[in-house]
Structure formats: structure tokens, C-alpha cells
């Protein structure tokens, strides 16, 4: 299982404040791999640099890792190992590795509940390393890598921040493709949505709208929990059903937001 | 977004009445930029048959369908003249994009005066062609086709139940 590397994702420069270029120091020597994955525990936070070398080692050891390449390979520029998105040794932006999934980018376990993981902070840290604006002076090749990696990280951040898109992404990773074009005729759900949308469109003052909005958000929460349960049990049929409900409620919330 | 705003006013029983000339012109300009076919705009600004029948009426069939991809809901109702089996009136209420609204509007127009067997033969491709829907909006016309079928099915089921209770 992908180790919760979040605590160690402290990318250099985050603490140095905006505007200053990231200082790069060579990473500490890669610790010798522990004999069993169960005994591996993340070291405490360091402020001196990137740890991708060390993170890379355990990941590559776990060859039956379903999530594929996430440890990072050798840097194209300096050859240092463990270059994940960008090289810890020389700072060069790496080409996009299609085997890397969004959870790996943020050092998260592949699960639905990702609260308390400082997604936004990590996202900003990544952009400080990968953003195309920071590689003006680099080669065209590297600028190309930066554009792609940066875009990938943006997609990853957006997908993981929103519960519905995160849920759908998880299902996608499991190989479940939801045929969204198929019409549904669940009378109970549709009647409820009809009434809900009518209520929103009839609502004339912000107080009523806010009340409706919080009701809908409550339902979203319920079905979000339902998705969590179904997903954990690998009951994908119910998981898909939950995402459909969530879509309907999100749409309704959008309408209230528009009116407010 | 002007198009959306116009639709919101017009959906359901809009007390302010169906959009005036200025709004229509502005919407047409926006639509032209966005590439909506003028028929879609027309149906959006002047939707025919918006409203509802009492679903408990014996001669009313109600079909309600949804598209999970976009969270759209479409309700289509038909009023049938029992002796002749002809649809005499139709209403719709749709929460969705312009193409979905236009598709259901067209559907209510087309079912009027037809027999039940005829309307279930209405294909989404015909609706899509009439509105020049782009491929990405084809599922909206599919929704309309499904709504017609659902309404017909509901009416038949109702008729069947009533016939049973009369025995």
C-alpha cells in the first residue's frame, strides 16, 4: 500500500516565502530499506529538502503495488534516482509519467476520505516547483514538461478537492466506467429532484434559498457517506448509485448558488 | 449566461410572461455566438406547452426521466382521448440545458394529435435533426424520446389498472 507520505512531502521553499527561488540541496542518503513494509514508519519532517529519493525506495520495493509507478525514476538531467514530478537533486521538471495517479501526486492513500491532508498546501508546493512561469530560462524540452506536469497537478487537485469528482475518479481507477448517457427513470429520485428544482426556481428570497441549499447539502453529505460505505465494501453498484444521487444534488446546489 | 437567465424566467409558470422582444434578441445574439440552432433558441424563449396536468387524472400519462450525466430532470405529460386513443394535449417541465428544454418542447408539439402507437415510434434522432443538435447534446433528445415512452407506458398502466378494477 502506498505509504502515507503526506507528512514528508515538505517540499523545499514552502517555508522560505513567496518570491524567493527554491533552494535545492542534495537529499540525504537513501535509508536502507526496512525488511518488512509493516515496520516502515515515516521520519519526522525535515526542512532541508525533498525526500523523493527516500519515498521512492519503498514504493519501488513493493513490486505488487497496484498503483504502479509512483516512486519516480532517474532524472533525465542529472541521473539522480527517485525523481518524482521534479528532481530532488537538480530541480529539473520531469516528463509526465502516465502510471502516476492523482492520489500518488499528493502522497495520499487511494481512499475517499482525504480530510486533514492539507491538499491545498501540497498543491501550492507542487506549483512552486512545476509551474511553467518558473522555467523560463530552461530548455524547451523542460518547459514542455513543466506545462504538462503543472496541468496534471491542477487536474489532480481539482478532481480530489470535490467529493463527487473524487468519487468518480476512484471508481475510474477501479475500472468502473459509468455510462452517463443512459437515462434513468427511478421515479422516487426524479420526483424528489423535480420538486427540489421547482422549489429552488420558485424561491424568491435569499433566506428560503439558503434554507433549501442547506437541506440539499445535508442530502449530499448523506449520500457521500453512502458512497464511502459502498466503496469500502467494494459494492460498486451502490457506489455508482450514490454518485448519481450526488450529481443531482450538486446540480441543485449549483442552481441555488446561481440565484443567491 | 443570458440564455440561461432567459430560460429560468420561462421555465414553469412564469408569472412575468414569456420573454419579450429585447430579451429574445439578446438571447439570439448570445446563441449565435454559442452556436445554438435558432430552433433551439426559439423553443427556449417561447417554449410550447410548459406546465402540468393533474397526474391523478384518468386520462393523463406522466413520464419522468433523468440524465445522470448532467443532473437533468424531464417530465412529460400527455392527455389522451380514451375512445379514440389519440393524444389531445401535452405538457412538459424540464430542468436542464437549452437543448434538453427544446427537445422536450418539440416532443410535446409532436405528440399532439397522434395515436399512442405513433408517438412511441418517435425517435430521438428525428428530434435532434429538427433542432440541429450537436453530438454532445444528442442525449438530450434521447431523454425526450424516453420521456414520451414513459408517459405512454404510464397511461397504459393506468388504463389497465382501471379496467381491472371495473371487472
Amino acid at each position: 500500500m502506498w505509504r502515507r507520505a503526506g507528512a514528508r512531502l515538505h517540499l523545499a521553499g514552502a517555508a522560505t516565502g513567496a518570491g524567493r527561488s527554491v533552494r535545492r540541496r542534495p537529499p540525504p542518503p537513501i535509508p536502507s530499506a526496512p525488511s518488512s513494509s509493516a515496520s516502515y514508519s515515516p521520519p519526522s519532517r525535515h526542512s532541508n529538502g525533498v525526500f523523493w529519493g527516500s519515498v521512492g525506495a519503498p514504493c519501488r520495493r513493493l513490486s505488487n503495488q497496484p498503483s504502479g509507478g509512483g516512486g519516480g525514476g532517474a532524472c533525465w538531467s542529472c541521473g539522480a534516482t527517485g525523481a518524482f514530478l521534479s528532481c530532488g537533486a537538480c530541480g529539473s521538471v520531469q516528463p509526465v509519467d502516465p502510471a502516476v495517479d492523482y492520489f500518488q501526486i499528493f502522497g495520499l492513500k487511494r481512499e475517499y476520505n482525504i480530510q486533514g491532508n492539507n491538499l491545498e498546501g501540497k498543491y501550492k508546493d507542487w506549483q512552486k516547483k512545476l509551474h511553467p512561469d518558473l522555467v523560463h530560462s530552461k530548455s524547451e524540452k523542460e518547459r514542455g514538461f513543466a506545462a504538462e506536469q503543472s496541468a496534471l497537478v491542477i487536474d489532480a487537485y481539482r478532481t480530489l478537492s470535490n467529493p463527487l469528482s473524487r468519487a468518480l475518479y476512484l471508481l475510474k481507477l477501479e475500472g468502473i466506467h459509468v455510462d452517463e448517457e443512459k437515462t434513468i427513470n427511478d421515479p422516487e429520485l426524479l420526483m424528489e429532484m423535480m420538486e427540489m428544482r421547482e422549489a429552488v426556481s420558485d424561491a424568491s428570497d435569499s433566506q428560503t434559498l439558503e434554507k433549501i441549499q442547506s437541506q440539499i447539502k445535508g442530502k449530499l453529505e448523506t449520500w457521500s457517506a453512502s458512497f464511502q460505505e459502498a466503496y469500502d465494501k467494494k459494492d460498486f453498484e451502490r457506489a455508482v448509485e450514490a454518485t448519481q444521487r450526488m450529481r443531482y444534488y450538486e446540480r441543485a446546489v449549483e442552481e441555488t448558488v446561481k440565484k443567491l | 449566461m443570458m440564455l440561461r437567465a432567459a430560460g429560468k424566467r420561462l421555465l414553469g409558470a412564469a408569472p412575468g410572461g414569456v420573454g419579450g422582444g429585447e430579451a429574445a434578441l439578446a438571447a439570439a445574439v448570445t446563441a449565435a455566438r454559442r452556436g445554438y440552432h435558432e430552433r433551439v433558441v426559439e423553443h427556449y424563449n417561447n417554449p410550447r406547452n410548459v406546465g402540468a396536468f393533474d397526474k391523478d387524472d384518468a386520462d393523463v400519462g406522466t413520464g419522468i426521466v433523468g440524465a445522470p450525466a448532467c443532473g437533468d430532470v424531464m417530465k412529460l405529460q400527455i392527455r389522451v382521448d380514451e375512445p379514440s386513443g389519440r393524444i389531445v394535449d401535452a405538457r412538459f417541465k424540464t430542468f436542464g440545458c437549452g437543448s434538453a428544454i427544446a427537445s422536450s418542447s418539440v416532443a410535446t408539439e409532436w405528440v399532439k394529435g397522434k395515436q399512442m402507437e405513433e408517438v412511441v415510434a418517435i425517435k430521438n434522432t428525428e428530434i435532434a435533426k429538427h433542432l440541429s443538435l450537436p453530438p454532445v447534446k444528442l442525449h438530450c433528445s434521447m431523454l425526450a424520446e424516453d420521456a414520451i415512452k414513459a408517459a405512454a407506458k404510464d397511461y397504459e398502466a393506468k388504463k389497465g389498472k382501471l379496467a381491472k378494477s371495473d371487472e
Side-chain angles (χ1 to χ4, degrees):
Chain A
M1 206 58 208
W2 178 252
R3 294 287 150 218
R4 192 169 285 269
R8 296 159 65 244
L9 233 184
H10 185 94
L11 304 165
T16 61
R20 282 220 273 157
S21 59
V22 171
R23 276 183 302 128
R24 300 198 189 291
R25 285 203 240 151
I30 296 168
S32 54
S35 51
S36 91
S37 42
S39 63
Y40 180 80
S41 57
S44 56
R45 268 187 170 220
H46 291 254
S47 61
N48 68 334
V50 186
F51 272 84
W52 290 116
S54 348
V55 172
C59 189
R60 261 184 272 125
R61 259 190 311 110
L62 303 168
S63 55
N64 57 350
Q65 184 72 291
S67 37
C75 173
W76 59 269
S77 175
C78 72
T81 50
F84 185 68
L85 272 62
S86 80
C87 175
C90 67
S92 302
V93 181
Q94 305 297 302
V96 168
D97 177 356
V100 170
D101 69 52
Y102 294 166
F103 290 94
Q104 288 168 331
I105 291 174
F106 291 102
L108 300 170
K109 269 169 74 175
R110 195 190 286 183
E111 57 189 4
Y112 182 57
N113 185 4
I114 59 166
Q115 277 181 332
N117 271 297
N118 192 22
L119 199 70
E120 195 183 340
K122 289 178 191 172
Y123 166 64
K124 289 184 178 163
D125 286 347
W126 270 129
Q127 293 297 16
K128 284 182 190 144
K129 288 183 142 343
L130 302 171
H131 201 275
D133 287 353
L134 301 168
V135 294
H136 274 314
S137 51
K138 301 287 180 78
S139 62
E140 196 180 314
K141 175 165 106 170
E142 196 175 344
R143 275 183 276 139
F145 293 160
E148 286 173 3
Q149 287 285 24
S150 188
L152 178 70
V153 169
I154 290 172
D155 274 344
Y157 176 64
R158 283 201 189 137
T159 304
L160 297 184
S161 329
N162 173 267
L164 176 59
S165 53
R166 195 188 321 137
L168 290 169
Y169 183 67
L170 276 167
L171 290 176
K172 183 175 146 198
L173 288 176
E174 294 286 334
I176 293 163
H177 176 68
V178 184
D179 181 10
E180 303 227 292
E181 305 272 298
K182 199 158 157 292
T183 57
I184 58 170
N185 42 26
D186 171 356
E188 196 201 301
L189 164 64
L190 291 170
M191 279 303 292
E192 185 196 326
M193 288 321 300
M194 201 85 212
E195 280 164 23
M196 197 184 278
R197 296 290 296 269
E198 270 166 11
V200 171
S201 104
D202 289 342
S204 48
D205 61 291
S206 54
Q207 214 177 11
T208 318
L209 275 167
E210 274 166 13
K211 198 172 122 195
I212 297 174
Q213 192 183 77
S214 66
Q215 276 174 351
I216 304 172
K217 284 189 173 164
K219 297 213 163 169
L220 253 175
E221 282 297 316
T222 310
W223 282 95
S224 176
S226 181
F227 172 81
Q228 171 90 74
E229 206 190 303
Y231 178 75
D232 289 341
K233 283 195 295 199
K234 305 259 177 236
D235 183 353
F236 295 125
E237 212 178 289
R238 306 218 64 176
V240 167
E241 197 191 308
T243 59
Q244 287 180 339
R245 285 257 178 175
M246 282 168 74
R247 169 89 68 187
Y248 271 102
Y249 293 131
E250 276 227 353
R251 189 79 175 80
V253 168
E254 265 173 39
E255 291 298 314
T256 61
V257 168
K258 274 191 216 156
K259 278 191 93 170
L260 277 168
Chain B
M1 292 313 118
M2 166 124 315
L3 201 61
R4 270 249 163 101
K8 256 196 280 189
R9 251 191 304 123
L10 302 163
L11 264 182
V18 173
E22 252 179 48
L25 183 64
V29 171
T30 315
R33 258 192 284 127
R34 267 187 160 196
Y36 282 107
H37 193 267
E38 59 183 34
R39 277 194 182 139
V40 176
V41 178
E42 170 58 22
H43 276 276
Y44 198 73
N45 283 333
N46 299 302
R48 290 64 160 149
N49 316 311
V50 175
F53 297 135
D54 184 346
K55 66 196 293 272
D56 295 324
D57 279 354
D59 56 351
V60 166
T62 302
I64 178 162
V65 293
C70 33
D72 287 353
V73 208
M74 188 186 283
K75 181 174 78 169
L76 193 145
Q77 291 178 299
I78 50 174
R79 193 183 289 281
V80 186
D81 173 56
E82 218 211 301
S84 62
R86 194 172 286 276
I87 294 171
V88 295
D89 205 0
R91 292 280 183 275
F92 83 96
K93 249 195 191 186
T94 295
F95 288 100
C97 64
S99 302
I101 293 167
S103 295
S104 36
S105 178
V106 165
T108 54
E109 280 196 315
W110 286 5
V111 301
K112 281 195 201 174
K114 289 206 171 77
Q115 297 288 120
M116 295 289 274
E117 310 82 63
E118 286 178 270
V119 302
V120 296
I122 294 176
K123 298 255 10 103
N124 71 308
T125 41
E126 294 162 353
I127 300 175
K129 189 164 171 218
H130 180 77
L131 295 169
S132 298
L133 294 183
V136 59
K137 290 294 182 183
L138 268 178
H139 68 277
C140 297
S141 61
M142 194 65 225
L143 207 59
E145 181 192 315
D146 288 343
I148 296 172
K149 291 188 161 77
K153 193 168 161 200
D154 180 62
Y155 173 75
E156 294 295 340
K158 220 186 241 184
K159 214 170 78 168
K161 269 198 212 142
L162 285 170
K164 278 219 174 93
S165 62
D166 282 346
E167 280 163 14

